[in-house]
């Protein structure tokens, strides 16, 4: 039998398998074959060599293990109420044990005069320490080393109820490993194994399930994580290479407008970081390959001007450019900002959003088709099929996380002859590890520097009860000529309640500041009303803007220097950072005040502390990743890009980095994996592709 045949064997044929267990493993965990099971890894390990004297057990403890004898046992209640209560003692004391299920069988097994080993989570009932449904076995004296690290597998409640527990899975893994050894092939080349001092695949699979020591366990995890991340990176980087050769890009070589803009109109000198990313973008747009680049830059780092300068290069070469924003407010702001520059240069620009009137819309469509329109700024409306360009050369997407991959593809097709270059911009910094896996198929540029002269925003945490002090602070800042945002949470599930919060807040602020003109902004307003409110604030006619998170993305009012966030405990870190980024855009010292309830959770505390400590978006993103895990960040859950079995992006950054470098250097030397020495890698990539397509067919 070949290796692949062996691992495709039905789990039904495994020793120790019963039809009932099989059907549970299939339906609950999706395990069908030997291969599925052996790759079902424990997520933690428990040390079962530790024994706790019964007298020391209390209900604050996590799982504990103890040895004891049954002094007394009794069945209580009848029918569904039936339970078994037993008293178990050692020389230090006694504990009550309770079973609600399997009562008959357990009563029979609990023989008196025999030492049992029990394991479980202690609780208390009527002030007495007890344990319900402990794991149990007859104690056979000090145990072999396996007990050091008992593997704990991710299981469902249903499995546990049917006695399919970690111990059972471990015993199935043991039978499987016993028959598997001759079939486990090495999946990494010897060169890599030696270079990074990895253990073999056989050893790794054995010790991940049945670790014989702490060091073996460490080595097993390191090896399997490396392998997983290595092939993940290899695949993504290869995709990028393939696409680059498959999709040619327009070559933009002349730069007349651009030179004029630089010489005569650039309102400030660019930061070094801006210059660096512009160079990277230009290199792509001149390379002859289609650009797919991600531009990461913290809020306020000046991505817009980079976007505009890139657009000029496209226009200089006879093509058109479009800029896509996630909200109407943001599209409008981009339009206003870019129009000033465009007018200076005599190039045409239009805005297309859902609220543009039919007549104007038709005019825009015509301008795009004839080529008389150079730049289109807009929202989702750009995706519509009626929107056709004469020759779209560059497409920029702002705040990528709000657009899906499918939509990105739709933009490609806006130029049927030759795909436009694509630049994706995001102001939600993504931790490096996530960017590598999530956007591993994109080239990444980073603006890691803010324009000079910015004063760091001061962030302060205050409890709700100090509201009066906060109000007097607002008053004094407004007297100095500044403007203020006050933001309320708006989370969809409880929209009605939040809306009430916002309205109540608005009212109490109106009462507190009867002389000060206020504006209000929320998602339920008509676009025209939003524009009106926003415009008043921009013109400094209103001093305070009471708003929901609709102002989160991109809004730019340099004179606004105070951001008050109400119920800050209800915002995620990324969102808090985004909101804070609305201030600190002018020359004045800016402030961000986070108001919370007096009682906050440990996670909230960490979020607030992080906000107070740093203004650095990348640092904040790292903390966010630690707190929430990779699944929840930046809409990554749907992407499937981080379906990792053993590596953990919040912890394995170092391994990822090395795995990526290794993949890059192999592909640099041998992009199609044709060399003999890369045969194993080539086969492995092919095999993994087959596996994923199989899965695609099943689901
Ligand atoms: P973001 O990266 O958040 O989109 P913006 O492009 O909106 O940032 O820029 C924020 C502010 O900084 C704008 O007012 C912009 O004009 C200004 N700005 C951008 N680059 C520079 C620079 N190099 N020097 C000074 N100000 C700059
Ligand atoms: Mg922006």
């Amino acid at each position: 039998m070949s290796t692949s045949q062996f691992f495709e064997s039905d789990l039904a044929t495994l020793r120790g398998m019963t039809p009932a267990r099989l059907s549970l493993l299939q339906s609950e965990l999706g395990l069908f074959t030997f291969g599925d099971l052996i790759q079902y890894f424990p997520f933690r390990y428990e040390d079962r060599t530790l024994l706790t004297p019964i007298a020391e057990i209390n209900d604050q403890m996590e799982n504990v293990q103890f040895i004891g004898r049954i002094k007394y046992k009794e069945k209580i209640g009848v029918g569904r109420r039936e339970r078994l209560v037993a008293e178990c003692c050692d020389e230090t004391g006694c504990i009550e044990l309770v079973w609600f299920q399997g009562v008959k069988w357990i009563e029979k097994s609990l023989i008196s005069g025999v030492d049992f080993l029990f394991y479980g989570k202690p609780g208390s009932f009527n002030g007495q320490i007890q344990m319900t449904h402990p794991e149990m076995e007859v104690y056979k004296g000090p145990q072999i080393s396996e007990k050091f690290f008992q593997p704990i597998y991710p299981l469902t409640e249903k499995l546990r109820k049917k006695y399919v527990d970690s111990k059972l899975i471990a015993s199935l893994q043991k039978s499987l490993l016993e028959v598997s050894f001759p079939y486990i092939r090495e999946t990494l080349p010897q060169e890599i194994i030696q270079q990074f001092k990895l253990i073999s695949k056989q050893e790794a699979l054995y010790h991940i399930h049945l670790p014989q020591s702490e060091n073996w366990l460490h080595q097993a995890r390191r090896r399997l994580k490396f392998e997983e991340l290595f092939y993940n990176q290899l695949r993504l980087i290869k995709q990028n290479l393939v696409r680059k050769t498959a999709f040619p890009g327009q070559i933009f070589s002349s730069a007349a407008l651009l030179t004029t803009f630089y010489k005569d109109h650039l309102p400030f000198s660019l930061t070094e970081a801006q210059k660096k990313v512009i160079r990277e973008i230009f290199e792509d747009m001149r390379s002859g390959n289609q650009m797919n680049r991600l531009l990461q830059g913290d809020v306020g780092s000046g991505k817009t001007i980079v976007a505009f300068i890139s657009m000029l290069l496209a226009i200089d070469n006879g093509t058109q450019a479009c800029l896509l924003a996630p909200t109407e407010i943001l599209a409008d702001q981009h339009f206003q900002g870019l129009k000033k520059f465009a007018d200076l240069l005599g190039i045409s620009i239009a805005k297309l959003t859902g609220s543009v009137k039919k007549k104007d819309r038709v005019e825009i469509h015509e301008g795009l088709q004839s080529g008389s329109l150079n730049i289109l700024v807009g929202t989702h409306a750009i995706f519509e099929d009626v929107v056709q360009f004469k020759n779209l050369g560059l497409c920029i997407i702002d705040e990528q996380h709000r657009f899906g991959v499918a939509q990105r593809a739709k933009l490609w097709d806006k130029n049927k002859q030759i795909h436009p270059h694509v630049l994706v911009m995001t102001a939600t910094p993504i931790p490096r590890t996530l960017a590598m896996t999530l956007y591993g198929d994109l080239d990444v540029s980073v603006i890691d520097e803010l324009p000079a002269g910015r004063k760091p925003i001061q962030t302060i945490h205050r409890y709700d009860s100090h509201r009066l002090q906060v109000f007097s602070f607002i008053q004094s800042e407004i007297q100095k000529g500044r403007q203020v945002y006050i933001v309320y949470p708006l989370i969809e599930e409880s929209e009605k309640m939040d809306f009430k919060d916002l309205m109540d807040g608005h009212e109490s602020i109106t009462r507190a500041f009867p002389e000060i003109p206020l504006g209000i902004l929320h998602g339920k307003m008509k676009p025209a009303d939003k524009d009106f409110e926003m415009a008043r604030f921009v013109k400094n006619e209103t001093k305070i803007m009471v708003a929901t998170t609709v102002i989160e993305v991109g809004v730019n009012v340099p004179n606004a220097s105070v951001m008050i966030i109400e119920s800050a405990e209800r915002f995620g870190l990324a969102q808090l950072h985004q909101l804070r980024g609305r201030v600190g855009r002018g020359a004045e010292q800016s402030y961000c005040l986070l108001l919370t309830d007096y009682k906050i959770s440990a996670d909230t505390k960490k979020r607030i502390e992080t906000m107070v400590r740093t203004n650095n978006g990348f640092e904040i993103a790292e903390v966010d990743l630690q707190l929430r895990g990779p699944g929840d960040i930046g809409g990554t859950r749907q992407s499937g890009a981080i379906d990792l079995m053993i590596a953990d992006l919040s912890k394995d950054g170092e391994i990822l980095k090395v795995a990526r470098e290794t993949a890059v250097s192999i592909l640099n030397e041998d992009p199609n994996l044709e060399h003999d020495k890369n045969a194993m890698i080539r086969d492995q990539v092919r095999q993994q592709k087959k596996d994923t397509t199989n899965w695609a067919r099943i689901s």
Side-chain angles (χ1 to χ4, degrees), residues 92-150:
T92 68
C94 298
I95 182 171
E96 189 173 272
L97 307 177
V98 186
W99 286 266
F100 299 94
Q101 276 165 355
V103 165
K104 216 165 136 192
W105 180 78
I106 290 168
E107 195 196 4
K108 240 192 298 176
S109 325
L110 285 177
I111 323 156
S112 52
V114 172
D115 280 334
F116 280 94
L117 190 65
F118 292 100
Y119 180 83
K121 165 104 187 77
S124 70
F125 186 72
N126 285 342
Q128 191 179 351
I129 298 294
Q130 61 163 229
M131 190 177 281
T132 47
H133 281 259
E135 285 178 28
M136 55 178 269
E137 63 186 69
V138 173
Y139 181 65
K140 301 189 201 87
Q143 281 300 307
I144 41 162
S145 51
E146 259 167 48
K147 293 275 169 176
F148 271 114
F149 296 99
Q150 212 141 74

Side-chain angles (χ1 to χ4, degrees), residues 268-271 274 298-305 451 454 556 585:
F268 35 68
S269 51
L270 297 173
T271 63
Q274 284 171 319
D298 213 339
V299 271
S301 62
K303 293 182 292 295
T304 316
I305 196 80
R454 293 265 173 87
N556 191 20
R585 301 188 150 236

Side-chain angles (χ1 to χ4, degrees), residues 312-336:
L312 286 182
L313 186 68
I315 294 163
D316 263 324
N317 291 273
T319 69
Q320 295 156 295
C322 75
L323 172 60
L324 205 65
T327 65
E328 192 126 350
I329 292 180
L330 195 57
D332 190 56
Q333 193 174 295
H334 275 319
F335 175 71
Q336 303 298 345

